[in-house]
Coordinates of all heavy atoms in Angstrom, one line a residue:
M1 N 90.8 50.2 130.2 CA 90.5 51.6 129.9 C 89.3 52.0 130.9 O 88.4 51.2 131.1 CB 89.9 51.7 128.5 CG 89.6 53.1 128.1 SD 89.0 53.4 126.4 CE 90.5 53.5 125.6
T2 N 89.6 53.1 131.6 CA 88.5 53.5 132.5 C 87.3 54.1 131.8 O 87.4 54.5 130.6 CB 89.2 54.6 133.4 OG1 89.5 55.7 132.7 CG2 90.4 54.1 134.2
D3 N 86.3 54.2 132.6 CA 85.0 54.8 131.9 C 85.3 56.2 131.5 O 84.8 56.7 130.5 CB 83.9 54.7 132.9 CG 83.2 53.4 133.1 OD1 83.5 52.6 132.1 OD2 82.5 53.1 134.0
K4 N 86.1 56.9 132.4 CA 86.3 58.4 132.0 C 87.1 58.5 130.7 O 86.8 59.3 129.9 CB 87.1 59.0 133.2 CG 87.4 60.5 133.0 CD 88.1 61.1 134.1 CE 88.4 62.6 133.8 NZ 89.2 63.2 134.9
K5 N 88.1 57.7 130.5 CA 88.9 57.7 129.3 C 88.1 57.3 128.1 O 88.2 57.8 127.0 CB 90.2 56.8 129.4 CG 91.2 57.4 130.3 CD 92.5 56.7 130.2 CE 93.5 57.5 131.1 NZ 94.8 57.1 130.9
R6 N 87.2 56.3 128.3 CA 86.4 55.8 127.2 C 85.4 56.9 126.8 O 85.3 57.2 125.6 CB 85.6 54.6 127.7 CG 84.7 54.0 126.6 CD 84.0 52.7 127.0 NE 85.0 51.6 127.3 CZ 85.0 51.0 128.5 NH1 84.1 51.2 129.4 NH2 85.9 50.1 128.7
R7 N 84.9 57.7 127.8 CA 83.9 58.8 127.4 C 84.7 59.9 126.6 O 84.2 60.4 125.7 CB 83.3 59.4 128.7 CG 82.0 58.8 129.0 CD 81.3 59.4 130.1 NE 81.5 58.6 131.3 CZ 82.0 58.9 132.5 NH1 82.4 60.2 132.7 NH2 82.2 58.1 133.5
Q8 N 86.0 60.1 127.1 CA 86.8 61.2 126.4 C 87.1 60.7 125.0 O 87.0 61.5 124.1 CB 88.1 61.4 127.2 CG 87.9 62.1 128.5 CD 89.2 62.2 129.2 OE1 90.1 61.4 129.1 NE2 89.3 63.3 130.2
L9 N 87.4 59.4 124.8 CA 87.6 58.9 123.4 C 86.4 59.0 122.6 O 86.5 59.5 121.4 CB 88.1 57.5 123.5 CG 88.4 56.8 122.2 CD1 89.6 57.6 121.5 CD2 88.8 55.3 122.4
V10 N 85.3 58.7 123.0 CA 84.0 58.7 122.3 C 83.7 60.2 122.0 O 83.3 60.5 120.8 CB 82.9 58.1 123.0 CG1 81.6 58.4 122.4 CG2 83.1 56.5 123.2
T11 N 83.9 61.1 122.9 CA 83.6 62.5 122.7 C 84.6 63.0 121.6 O 84.2 63.7 120.6 CB 83.9 63.3 124.0 OG1 82.9 62.8 124.9 CG2 83.6 64.8 123.7
F12 N 85.9 62.7 121.7 CA 86.9 63.1 120.7 C 86.5 62.6 119.3 O 86.5 63.3 118.3 CB 88.3 62.6 121.1 CG 89.3 62.9 120.1 CD1 89.8 64.2 119.9 CD2 89.8 61.9 119.2 CE1 90.8 64.5 118.9 CE2 90.7 62.1 118.3 CZ 91.2 63.4 118.1
M13 N 86.1 61.3 119.2 CA 85.8 60.7 117.9 C 84.6 61.4 117.3 O 84.5 61.7 116.0 CB 85.6 59.2 118.0 CG 86.9 58.5 118.3 SD 86.6 56.8 118.6 CE 86.1 56.2 117.0
G14 N 83.6 61.8 118.1 CA 82.4 62.4 117.6 C 82.7 63.8 117.1 O 82.3 64.2 116.0
A15 N 83.6 64.5 117.8 CA 83.9 65.8 117.4 C 84.7 65.8 116.1 O 84.6 66.7 115.2 CB 84.8 66.5 118.5
S16 N 85.6 64.8 115.9 CA 86.4 64.7 114.7 C 85.6 64.4 113.4 O 85.8 65.0 112.4 CB 87.4 63.5 114.8 OG 88.3 63.8 115.9
T17 N 84.5 63.6 113.6 CA 83.7 63.3 112.4 C 82.9 64.5 112.1 O 82.5 64.7 110.8 CB 82.7 62.1 112.7 OG1 82.0 62.4 113.8 CG2 83.5 60.8 112.9
V18 N 82.5 65.5 112.9 CA 81.9 66.6 112.6 C 82.8 67.7 112.1 O 82.5 68.4 111.1 CB 81.1 67.2 113.8 CG1 80.5 68.6 113.5 CG2 80.0 66.3 114.3
A19 N 84.0 67.8 112.6 CA 85.0 68.8 112.2 C 85.5 68.6 110.8 O 85.7 69.6 110.1 CB 86.1 68.9 113.2
I20 N 85.7 67.4 110.4 CA 86.2 67.2 109.0 C 85.3 67.7 107.9 O 85.6 68.5 107.1 CB 86.7 65.7 108.9 CG1 87.8 65.4 109.8 CG2 87.0 65.4 107.4 CD1 88.2 64.0 109.9
P21 N 84.0 67.3 107.9 CA 83.1 67.7 106.8 C 82.9 69.2 106.9 O 82.8 69.9 105.8 CB 81.8 67.1 107.1 CG 82.1 65.8 107.9 CD 83.4 66.2 108.7
V22 N 82.8 69.9 108.1 CA 82.6 71.3 108.2 C 83.9 72.0 107.6 O 83.8 73.0 106.8 CB 82.3 71.8 109.6 CG1 82.4 73.3 109.7 CG2 81.0 71.2 110.1
G23 N 85.0 71.5 108.0 CA 86.3 72.1 107.4 C 86.4 72.0 106.0 O 86.8 72.9 105.3
A24 N 86.0 70.9 105.4 CA 86.0 70.6 103.9 C 85.0 71.6 103.3 O 85.4 72.2 102.3 CB 85.7 69.2 103.6
L25 N 83.9 71.8 103.9 CA 82.9 72.7 103.3 C 83.4 74.1 103.3 O 83.3 74.8 102.3 CB 81.6 72.6 104.1 CG 80.5 73.6 103.7 CD1 80.0 73.2 102.3 CD2 79.3 73.5 104.6
L26 N 84.0 74.5 104.5 CA 84.5 75.9 104.5 C 85.6 76.2 103.6 O 85.7 77.2 103.0 CB 84.9 76.3 106.0 CG 83.8 76.3 107.0 CD1 84.4 76.5 108.4 CD2 82.9 77.4 106.7
S27 N 86.5 75.2 103.4 CA 87.6 75.5 102.4 C 87.2 75.5 101.0 O 87.9 76.1 100.1 CB 88.7 74.4 102.7 OG 88.1 73.1 102.3
S28 N 86.0 74.9 100.7 CA 85.5 74.9 99.3 C 84.7 76.2 98.9 O 84.4 76.4 97.8 CB 84.7 73.7 99.0 OG 83.4 73.8 99.8
M29 N 84.5 77.0 100.0 CA 83.7 78.2 99.7 C 84.6 79.4 99.4 O 85.7 79.4 99.9 CB 82.8 78.6 101.0 CG 81.8 77.5 101.3 SD 81.0 77.9 102.8 CE 80.1 79.3 102.4
P30 N 84.2 80.3 98.6 CA 85.0 81.6 98.3 C 85.2 82.3 99.6 O 84.2 82.4 100.4 CB 84.2 82.3 97.3 CG 82.9 81.7 97.0 CD 82.9 80.3 97.9
S31 N 86.4 82.8 99.8 CA 86.7 83.6 101.0 C 86.0 85.0 101.0 O 85.8 85.5 102.0 CB 88.2 83.7 101.3 OG 88.7 84.4 100.2
H32 N 85.8 85.5 99.9 CA 85.1 86.9 99.7 C 84.0 86.8 98.8 O 84.1 86.1 97.7 CB 86.1 87.9 99.3 CG 87.3 88.0 100.2 ND1 87.2 88.5 101.5 CD2 88.6 87.6 100.1 CE1 88.4 88.5 102.1 NE2 89.2 87.9 101.3
A33 N 83.0 87.6 99.0 CA 81.8 87.5 98.1 C 82.2 88.2 96.8 O 81.5 88.0 95.8 CB 80.7 88.3 98.8
D34 N 83.2 89.0 96.8 CA 83.5 89.7 95.5 C 84.5 88.9 94.6 O 85.1 89.5 93.7 CB 84.1 91.1 95.9 CG 85.4 91.0 96.6 OD1 85.7 89.9 97.2 OD2 86.2 92.0 96.8
E35 N 84.5 87.6 94.8 CA 85.4 86.8 94.0 C 84.6 86.1 92.9 O 84.9 84.9 92.5 CB 86.1 85.8 94.8 CG 87.2 86.4 95.7 CD 88.0 85.5 96.5 OE1 87.8 84.2 96.3 OE2 88.8 85.9 97.3
A36 N 83.6 86.7 92.2 CA 82.9 86.1 91.1 C 83.9 86.0 90.0 O 84.7 86.8 89.8 CB 81.7 87.0 90.8
P37 N 83.6 85.1 89.1 CA 84.5 84.9 88.0 C 84.3 86.1 87.0 O 83.2 86.7 87.0 CB 84.0 83.6 87.3 CG 82.6 83.4 87.8 CD 82.6 84.0 89.1
M38 N 85.3 86.5 86.3 CA 85.2 87.6 85.3 C 84.5 87.1 84.1 O 84.6 85.9 83.7 CB 86.6 88.1 85.0 CG 87.4 88.6 86.1 SD 86.6 89.9 87.2 CE 86.7 91.3 86.2
V39 N 83.9 88.0 83.4 CA 83.1 87.6 82.2 C 84.1 87.1 81.2 O 85.2 87.8 81.0 CB 82.4 88.9 81.6 CG1 81.9 88.7 80.2 CG2 81.2 89.2 82.6
D40 N 83.8 86.1 80.5 CA 84.6 85.6 79.4 C 84.2 86.3 78.1 O 83.1 86.2 77.6 CB 84.4 84.0 79.2 CG 85.1 83.5 78.0 OD1 85.9 84.1 77.5 OD2 84.9 82.2 77.8
A41 N 85.2 87.1 77.7 CA 84.8 88.0 76.5 C 84.6 87.1 75.2 O 84.0 87.6 74.3 CB 86.0 88.9 76.2
D42 N 84.9 85.8 75.3 CA 84.7 85.0 74.1 C 83.4 84.2 74.2 O 83.0 83.4 73.3 CB 85.8 84.0 73.9 CG 87.2 84.7 73.6 OD1 87.1 85.7 72.8 OD2 88.2 84.2 74.0
S43 N 82.7 84.4 75.3 CA 81.4 83.7 75.5 C 80.3 84.2 74.6 O 80.4 85.4 74.1 CB 80.9 83.8 76.9 OG 80.6 85.1 77.2
A44 N 79.3 83.4 74.3 CA 78.2 83.9 73.4 C 77.5 85.1 74.0 O 77.2 86.0 73.3 CB 77.2 82.7 73.2
G45 N 77.3 85.1 75.3 CA 76.7 86.3 75.9 C 77.4 87.5 75.8 O 76.9 88.6 75.5
A46 N 78.7 87.5 76.0 CA 79.6 88.6 75.8 C 79.6 89.1 74.4 O 79.5 90.3 74.1 CB 81.0 88.3 76.3
K47 N 79.7 88.2 73.4 CA 79.7 88.5 72.0 C 78.4 89.2 71.6 O 78.4 90.1 70.8 CB 80.0 87.4 71.1 CG 81.4 86.9 71.3 CD 81.9 85.9 70.3 CE 83.4 85.6 70.6 NZ 84.0 84.8 69.6
N48 N 77.3 88.7 72.2 CA 76.0 89.3 72.0 C 76.0 90.8 72.3 O 75.3 91.5 71.6 CB 74.9 88.5 72.7 CG 73.5 89.0 72.4 OD1 73.1 89.2 71.3 ND2 72.7 89.3 73.4
W49 N 76.6 91.1 73.3 CA 76.7 92.5 73.8 C 77.9 93.2 73.3 O 78.1 94.4 73.6 CB 76.6 92.6 75.4 CG 75.2 92.2 75.9 CD1 74.9 91.1 76.5 CD2 74.1 93.0 75.8 NE1 73.6 91.1 76.9 CE2 73.1 92.3 76.5 CE3 73.7 94.2 75.2 CZ2 71.8 92.7 76.5 CZ3 72.5 94.7 75.3 CH2 71.4 93.9 76.0
E50 N 78.7 92.6 72.5 CA 79.9 93.2 71.9 C 80.9 93.6 73.0 O 81.6 94.6 72.8 CB 79.6 94.3 70.9 CG 78.8 93.8 69.7 CD 78.3 95.0 68.8 OE1 78.9 96.0 68.8 OE2 77.4 94.7 68.0
Y51 N 80.9 92.8 74.1 CA 81.7 93.2 75.3 C 83.2 93.0 74.9 O 83.6 92.0 74.3 CB 81.3 92.2 76.4 CG 82.1 92.2 77.6 CD1 81.8 93.1 78.7 CD2 83.3 91.5 77.8 CE1 82.5 93.1 79.9 CE2 84.0 91.6 78.9 CZ 83.6 92.4 80.0 OH 84.3 92.5 81.1
V52 N 84.0 94.0 75.3 CA 85.4 93.9 75.1 C 86.0 94.3 76.5 O 85.5 95.2 77.2 CB 85.9 94.9 74.0 CG1 85.5 94.3 72.6 CG2 85.4 96.3 74.2
V53 N 87.1 93.7 76.8 CA 87.8 93.9 78.2 C 88.3 95.3 78.3 O 88.3 95.9 79.3 CB 88.8 92.8 78.4 CG1 89.6 93.1 79.7 CG2 88.1 91.4 78.6
M54 N 88.9 95.8 77.1 CA 89.4 97.2 77.2 C 88.5 98.1 76.2 O 88.4 97.8 75.0 CB 90.8 97.2 76.6 CG 91.9 96.6 77.6 SD 92.0 97.5 79.2 CE 92.5 99.1 78.7
S55 N 87.9 99.0 76.8 CA 87.1 99.9 76.0 C 87.9 100.6 75.0 O 89.0 101.2 75.2 CB 86.4 101.0 76.9 OG 85.7 101.9 76.2
P56 N 87.3 100.8 73.8 CA 88.1 101.5 72.7 C 88.1 103.0 73.0 O 88.9 103.8 72.5 CB 87.3 101.2 71.5 CG 85.9 100.8 71.9 CD 86.1 100.2 73.3
D57 N 87.2 103.5 73.9 CA 87.1 104.9 74.3 C 87.3 105.0 75.8 O 86.5 104.6 76.6 CB 85.8 105.4 73.9 CG 85.5 106.9 74.2 OD1 86.4 107.4 75.0 OD2 84.6 107.5 73.7
E58 N 88.5 105.6 76.2 CA 88.8 105.7 77.7 C 87.7 106.4 78.5 O 87.6 106.1 79.7 CB 90.1 106.5 77.8 CG 91.3 105.8 77.6 CD 92.6 106.6 77.9 OE1 92.5 107.6 78.6 OE2 93.6 106.4 77.3
S59 N 86.9 107.2 77.9 CA 85.9 108.0 78.6 C 84.6 107.2 78.8 O 83.7 107.6 79.5 CB 85.6 109.3 78.0 OG 84.9 109.1 76.8
K60 N 84.6 106.0 78.1 CA 83.3 105.2 78.2 C 83.8 103.7 78.6 O 84.3 103.0 77.7 CB 82.6 105.1 76.8 CG 82.0 106.5 76.5 CD 81.4 106.4 75.1 CE 80.9 107.8 74.7 NZ 80.4 107.8 73.3
N61 N 83.5 103.4 79.9 CA 83.8 102.0 80.3 C 82.9 101.7 81.4 O 82.0 102.4 81.8 CB 85.3 101.9 80.7 CG 85.6 102.9 81.8 OD1 84.9 103.0 82.8 ND2 86.7 103.7 81.7
C62 N 82.9 100.4 81.8 CA 82.0 99.8 82.8 C 82.1 100.7 84.1 O 81.1 100.8 84.8 CB 82.4 98.4 83.1 SG 82.0 97.3 81.7
G63 N 83.3 101.1 84.4 CA 83.5 101.9 85.7 C 82.6 103.1 85.7 O 82.3 103.6 86.8
N64 N 82.2 103.7 84.6 CA 81.3 104.9 84.6 C 80.0 104.7 83.9 O 79.4 105.6 83.5 CB 82.1 106.2 84.1 CG 82.5 106.0 82.6 OD1 81.9 105.3 81.8 ND2 83.7 106.7 82.3
C65 N 79.7 103.4 83.8 CA 78.4 103.0 83.2 C 77.2 103.0 84.3 O 77.5 102.6 85.4 CB 78.5 101.7 82.5 SG 76.9 101.0 81.9
A66 N 76.1 103.4 83.9 CA 75.0 103.4 84.9 C 74.6 102.1 85.3 O 74.0 101.9 86.4 CB 73.8 104.2 84.1
L67 N 74.9 101.1 84.5 CA 74.5 99.7 84.9 C 75.5 99.0 85.8 O 75.2 98.0 86.4 CB 74.2 98.8 83.7 CG 72.9 99.0 83.0 CD1 73.0 100.2 82.1 CD2 72.6 97.8 82.2
Y68 N 76.7 99.5 85.9 CA 77.8 99.0 86.7 C 77.4 99.1 88.3 O 77.0 100.1 88.6 CB 79.0 99.7 86.5 CG 80.3 99.1 87.2 CD1 80.7 97.8 86.9 CD2 80.9 99.9 88.2 CE1 81.9 97.3 87.5 CE2 82.0 99.3 88.9 CZ 82.5 98.1 88.6 OH 83.6 97.6 89.2
Q69 N 77.5 97.9 89.0 CA 77.1 97.9 90.4 C 78.3 97.7 91.3 O 78.1 97.5 92.5 CB 76.1 96.8 90.5 CG 74.8 97.0 89.7 CD 73.9 95.8 89.7 OE1 74.3 94.7 90.0 NE2 72.7 96.0 89.5
G70 N 79.5 97.8 90.8 CA 80.6 97.7 91.6 C 81.3 98.9 92.0 O 80.8 100.0 91.7
D71 N 82.4 98.8 92.7 CA 83.3 99.9 93.0 C 84.1 100.4 91.8 O 84.8 99.5 91.3 CB 84.2 99.5 94.2 CG 85.2 100.6 94.8 OD1 85.2 101.7 94.0 OD2 85.7 100.4 95.8
P72 N 84.0 101.6 91.4 CA 84.8 102.0 90.2 C 86.3 101.9 90.4 O 87.0 101.9 89.4 CB 84.4 103.5 90.0 CG 83.1 103.6 90.7 CD 83.1 102.6 91.9
S73 N 86.8 101.8 91.6 CA 88.2 101.7 91.8 C 88.7 100.3 91.9 O 89.8 100.0 92.0 CB 88.6 102.5 93.1 OG 88.0 101.9 94.2
A74 N 87.7 99.3 91.8 CA 88.0 97.9 91.9 C 88.5 97.4 90.5 O 88.3 98.1 89.5 CB 86.9 97.1 92.5
K75 N 88.9 96.2 90.5 CA 89.3 95.5 89.2 C 88.0 95.3 88.3 O 88.0 95.3 87.1 CB 90.0 94.2 89.5 CG 90.2 93.4 88.3 CD 90.9 92.0 88.7 CE 90.9 91.0 87.6 NZ 91.1 89.7 88.0
G76 N 86.9 95.0 89.0 CA 85.6 94.7 88.3 C 84.5 94.7 89.3 O 84.7 94.7 90.5
G77 N 83.3 94.4 88.7 CA 82.2 94.3 89.6 C 80.9 93.8 88.8 O 81.0 93.5 87.6
P78 N 79.8 93.7 89.5 CA 78.6 93.1 88.8 C 78.0 94.1 87.9 O 78.0 95.2 88.0 CB 77.7 92.8 90.1 CG 78.5 93.0 91.3 CD 79.7 93.9 90.9
C79 N 77.4 93.4 86.9 CA 76.5 94.2 85.9 C 75.3 93.2 85.6 O 75.5 92.0 85.5 CB 77.3 94.4 84.6 SG 76.3 95.0 83.2
P80 N 74.1 93.8 85.6 CA 72.9 92.9 85.4 C 72.9 92.2 84.1 O 72.2 91.2 84.0 CB 71.8 93.9 85.6 CG 72.3 95.2 85.5 CD 73.8 95.2 85.8
L81 N 73.7 92.6 83.2 CA 73.7 91.8 81.9 C 74.4 90.5 82.0 O 74.3 89.7 81.1 CB 74.4 92.7 80.8 CG 73.7 94.0 80.5 CD1 74.5 94.7 79.3 CD2 72.2 93.8 80.1
F82 N 75.3 90.4 83.0 CA 76.1 89.2 83.2 C 75.9 88.7 84.6 O 76.9 88.7 85.4 CB 77.6 89.5 82.9 CG 77.8 90.0 81.5 CD1 78.0 91.3 81.2 CD2 77.9 89.1 80.4 CE1 78.2 91.8 79.9 CE2 78.1 89.5 79.1 CZ 78.2 90.9 78.9
P83 N 74.8 88.1 84.9 CA 74.6 87.6 86.3 C 75.6 86.5 86.7 O 75.8 85.6 85.8 CB 73.1 87.1 86.3 CG 72.8 87.0 84.9 CD 73.7 87.9 84.1
G84 N 76.1 86.5 87.9 CA 77.1 85.5 88.3 C 78.5 85.8 88.0 O 79.3 85.0 88.3
S85 N 78.7 86.8 87.1 CA 80.1 87.2 86.7 C 80.3 88.7 87.0 O 79.4 89.4 87.1 CB 80.3 86.9 85.3 OG 80.2 85.5 85.0
D86 N 81.6 89.0 87.0 CA 82.0 90.4 87.1 C 82.5 90.9 85.8 O 83.1 90.2 85.1 CB 83.1 90.6 88.2 CG 82.5 90.6 89.6 OD1 81.3 90.5 89.8 OD2 83.3 90.6 90.5
V87 N 82.2 92.2 85.5 CA 82.8 92.8 84.3 C 84.0 93.5 84.7 O 84.1 94.0 85.9 CB 81.7 93.7 83.7 CG1 80.5 93.0 83.1 CG2 81.3 94.8 84.6
H88 N 84.9 93.6 83.8 CA 86.1 94.5 84.1 C 85.7 95.9 84.1 O 85.0 96.4 83.2 CB 87.2 94.2 83.0 CG 87.9 92.8 83.0 ND1 87.3 91.8 82.4 CD2 88.9 92.4 83.6 CE1 88.0 90.7 82.6 NE2 89.0 91.1 83.3
V89 N 86.3 96.6 85.0 CA 86.0 98.1 85.1 C 86.5 98.9 83.8 O 85.9 99.9 83.5 CB 86.6 98.6 86.4 CG1 88.2 98.8 86.3 CG2 85.9 99.9 86.8
T90 N 87.4 98.3 83.1 CA 88.0 98.9 81.9 C 87.2 98.5 80.6 O 87.4 99.0 79.6 CB 89.4 98.4 81.7 OG1 89.4 97.0 81.6 CG2 90.3 98.9 82.8
A91 N 86.2 97.6 80.8 CA 85.5 97.0 79.7 C 84.4 98.0 79.1 O 84.1 99.1 79.7 CB 84.9 95.7 80.1
W92 N 83.8 97.5 78.1 CA 82.6 98.3 77.5 C 81.8 97.3 76.7 O 82.3 96.2 76.3 CB 83.3 99.2 76.4 CG 82.2 100.0 75.6 CD1 81.7 101.2 76.0 CD2 81.7 99.6 74.4 NE1 80.8 101.5 75.0 CE2 80.7 100.6 74.0 CE3 81.8 98.4 73.6 CZ2 80.0 100.5 72.8 CZ3 81.0 98.3 72.4 CH2 80.1 99.4 72.0
C93 N 80.5 97.6 76.6 CA 79.6 96.8 75.7 C 78.7 97.8 75.1 O 78.5 98.9 75.5 CB 78.9 95.7 76.5 SG 77.4 96.2 77.4
K94 N 77.9 97.3 74.1 CA 76.9 98.1 73.4 C 75.8 98.6 74.2 O 75.1 99.5 73.7 CB 76.5 97.5 72.1 CG 75.6 96.2 72.3 CD 75.2 95.7 70.9 CE 74.2 94.5 71.1 NZ 73.9 94.0 69.8
A95 N 75.6 98.1 75.4 CA 74.5 98.6 76.2 C 75.0 99.8 77.1 O 74.3 100.3 78.0 CB 74.0 97.5 77.1
Y96 N 76.2 100.2 77.0 CA 76.8 101.2 77.8 C 75.9 102.5 77.8 O 75.4 102.9 76.8 CB 78.1 101.7 77.2 CG 78.7 102.9 77.9 CD1 79.5 102.8 79.1 CD2 78.5 104.2 77.4 CE1 79.9 103.9 79.8 CE2 78.9 105.3 78.0 CZ 79.7 105.2 79.3 OH 80.2 106.3 80.0
A97 N 75.7 102.9 79.0 CA 74.9 104.2 79.3 C 75.7 105.0 80.3 O 76.0 104.5 81.4 CB 73.5 103.9 79.8
P98 N 76.0 106.2 80.1 CA 76.8 107.0 81.0 C 76.0 107.2 82.4 O 74.8 107.3 82.4 CB 77.1 108.3 80.4 CG 76.0 108.4 79.3 CD 75.6 107.0 78.9
K99 N 76.8 107.1 83.5 CA 76.1 107.4 84.8 C 75.7 108.8 84.8 O 76.4 109.7 84.4 CB 77.2 107.2 85.9 CG 77.1 105.9 86.6 CD 78.0 105.9 87.8 CE 78.0 104.4 88.3 NZ 79.2 103.9 88.8
P100 N 74.5 109.1 85.3 CA 74.0 110.4 85.4 C 74.9 111.2 86.4 O 75.4 110.6 87.4 CB 72.6 110.3 86.0 CG 72.3 108.9 86.2 CD 73.5 108.1 85.8
S101 N 75.2 112.4 86.0 CA 76.1 113.2 87.0 C 75.4 114.1 87.9 O 74.2 114.2 87.9 CB 77.2 114.0 86.1 OG 76.4 114.7 85.1
Ligands
LIG201 S1 76.1 97.5 80.5 FE1 78.0 97.1 79.4 S2 79.3 98.9 79.7 FE2 77.7 99.0 81.3 S3 78.6 97.9 83.1 FE3 77.5 96.4 81.9 S4 79.0 95.5 80.5 FE4 79.8 97.4 81.3

């Protein structure tokens, strides 16, 4: 093996050991920031707020609540009552407050 080929082999092996962990790290990360898990309506926190996925009143839901921080046309979005999870845009809870018009 020539010195040039030995250097190429060492360079290739070094790059491979770096590329594999970075690739594994990237594949384990969510591809979009808006992929938070949806609130589990059966969780203690949701029950505390009487959260339901489908509002019993069409005119009052997370999509038009003052606390909702997502896009009203999306499936769901953040609410400060449920950090780390998204609420369904169709949902409702007892903290509902209409968005000021
Ligand atoms: S406070 Fe309740 S109704 Fe308002 S966005 Fe949050 S979960 Fe929905």
Side-chain angles (χ1 to χ4, degrees):
M1 181 179 279
T2 65
D3 280 346
K4 183 178 178 186
K5 286 193 176 192
R6 186 173 296 125
R7 267 186 258 125
Q8 287 175 334
L9 178 62
V10 169
T11 302
F12 173 76
M13 290 174 67
S16 297
T17 57
V18 171
I20 292 169
V22 170
L25 177 66
L26 291 175
S27 66
S28 67
M29 295 174 67
S31 57
H32 301 291
D34 59 347
E35 290 184 4
M38 301 307 285
V39 168
D40 177 3
D42 294 326
S43 68
K47 288 188 176 188
N48 183 48
W49 289 107
E50 299 176 16
Y51 176 91
V52 290
V53 173
M54 288 300 295
S55 172
D57 183 340
E58 279 183 28
S59 67
K60 297 177 181 174
N61 56 47
C62 294
N64 59 31
C65 176
L67 280 81
Y68 183 68
Q69 298 171 340
D71 179 349
S73 65
K75 175 183 165 195
C79 168
L81 299 185
F82 300 99
S85 298
D86 281 353
V87 296
H88 289 86
V89 75
T90 58
W92 174 92
C93 85
K94 68 180 182 181
Y96 173 85
K99 256 187 191 146
S101 50

